[in-house]
Amino acid sequence: MQIASIGLLFRAPKAGRIIAGIGAFFMMPIGLVFFMGYMSSYEKKSNQGIAIFPSSEEEENINTEEKPGSNTPTEGNGDENVETNESLKLYFKKTPFFINGVVFIVLGGAIMAMGLGTGGILVGAGVLALVNGFRLKNRIVIGLSKKELIITPGLYSETYRVPYNNVKVTHMDNRLFKLHIQTPDVDKTCTVRKAWLEGERDYVSTAMKNILSKLTEDNAA
């Protein structure tokens, strides 16, 4: 199944992703290593044609967060702490990944000590959560940079930059929002969950309103 999913990656990526997930499940926990690699390749394949947001530029943003006038979230009124210019960025919340990783590993280890093989699945899931926590550290989920949207479309994808007029807001509620990215080479919908976003609730809410309104205004124009 894993070999078949690799072949489908270039012909039918979505079907290949499903088969890869099933194959990884039956090969737990080592199958998670394959699944992570496959998902990374899948994201690169589906996002071909979108410009990657340079890691050097992302590092520069991180290093300037603590300077006066930065858009770092602080306690208080969210409206007062969010810049209205085009340099707004929201990062992945890392703590849940680390907490889940530790809990799954400890619980899985206890189950394995009881002689039950299913504990290995939890240990594998815990390791995966920890890896994601370290991998997504200081990674931008969504933001604005000049006339472009900065977006990480999925947990296993790179961070990209897309012109405003290539992105449309298709769904929005209290838990998540969906964006449709359409370029000459890419036509996909990505889902961003608000639980992923680092910062105080008021700050995140206000920042997201600014980002989504920017996209709406540009498409309306």
Side-chain angles (χ1 to χ4, degrees):
M1 293 183 74
Q2 291 176 351
I3 294 173
S5 68
I6 293 174
L8 289 172
L9 176 62
F10 303 97
R11 298 182 180 181
K14 292 183 179 179
R17 181 178 60 178
I18 295 173
I19 294 176
I22 296 173
F25 175 80
F26 286 107
M27 293 291 291
M28 287 284 193
I30 194 65
L32 289 174
V33 177
F34 168 81
F35 184 72
M36 289 181 63
Y38 186 91
M39 288 302 298
S40 178
S41 298
Y42 170 84
E43 289 291 345
K44 288 180 180 178
K45 171 67 177 176
S46 63
N47 296 319
Q48 282 182 341
I50 307 179
I52 294 179
F53 184 70
S55 58
S56 58
E57 189 172 340
E58 190 167 341
E59 184 66 27
E60 181 180 347
N61 289 324
I62 295 166
N63 292 335
T64 58
E65 278 189 324
E66 299 301 328
K67 293 182 179 180
S70 70
N71 57 6
T72 306
T74 57
E75 293 184 1
N77 190 318
D79 295 332
E80 297 175 355
N81 298 316
V82 179
E83 292 185 350
T84 56
N85 60 24
E86 297 180 347
S87 62
L88 180 61
K89 298 171 182 67
L90 293 171
Y91 294 84
F92 275 100
K93 185 184 296 184
K94 304 170 291 296
T95 305
F97 290 104
F98 293 123
I99 292 176
N100 289 338
V102 172
V103 171
F104 287 159
I105 290 174
V106 172
L107 184 58
I111 293 175
M112 291 178 67
M114 297 169 58
L116 300 176
T118 52
I121 298 176
L122 286 177
V123 172
V127 172
L128 179 62
L130 291 178
V131 170
N132 281 332
F134 284 108
R135 188 173 56 81
L136 296 173
K137 183 179 180 181
N138 296 330
R139 178 73 67 88
I140 297 172
V141 183
I142 190 169
L144 305 175
S145 178
K146 300 178 181 178
K147 290 293 183 179
E148 295 174 312
L149 177 75
I150 305 172
I151 181 73
T152 303
L155 294 179
Y156 298 94
S157 71
E158 300 286 345
T159 304
Y160 298 91
R161 59 197 323 161
V162 189
Y164 291 159
N165 57 7
N166 291 128
V167 186
K168 292 183 179 179
V169 182
T170 60
H171 177 79
M172 192 169 31
D173 60 35
N174 293 329
R175 299 180 298 105
L176 55 84
F177 55 91
K178 295 183 179 181
L179 303 176
H180 181 212
I181 300 175
Q182 188 170 29
T183 71
D185 301 304
V186 176
D187 187 353
K188 67 177 298 180
T189 299
C190 59
T191 301
V192 178
R193 301 185 182 279
K194 294 181 180 179
W196 292 352
L197 305 176
E198 183 76 61
E200 297 291 331
R201 180 178 298 179
D202 290 342
Y203 170 83
V204 170
S205 297
T206 305
M208 283 311 309
K209 287 180 181 178
N210 288 345
I211 292 173
L212 297 179
S213 65
K214 193 70 178 179
L215 295 176
T216 304
E217 289 171 6
D218 190 81
N219 278 284

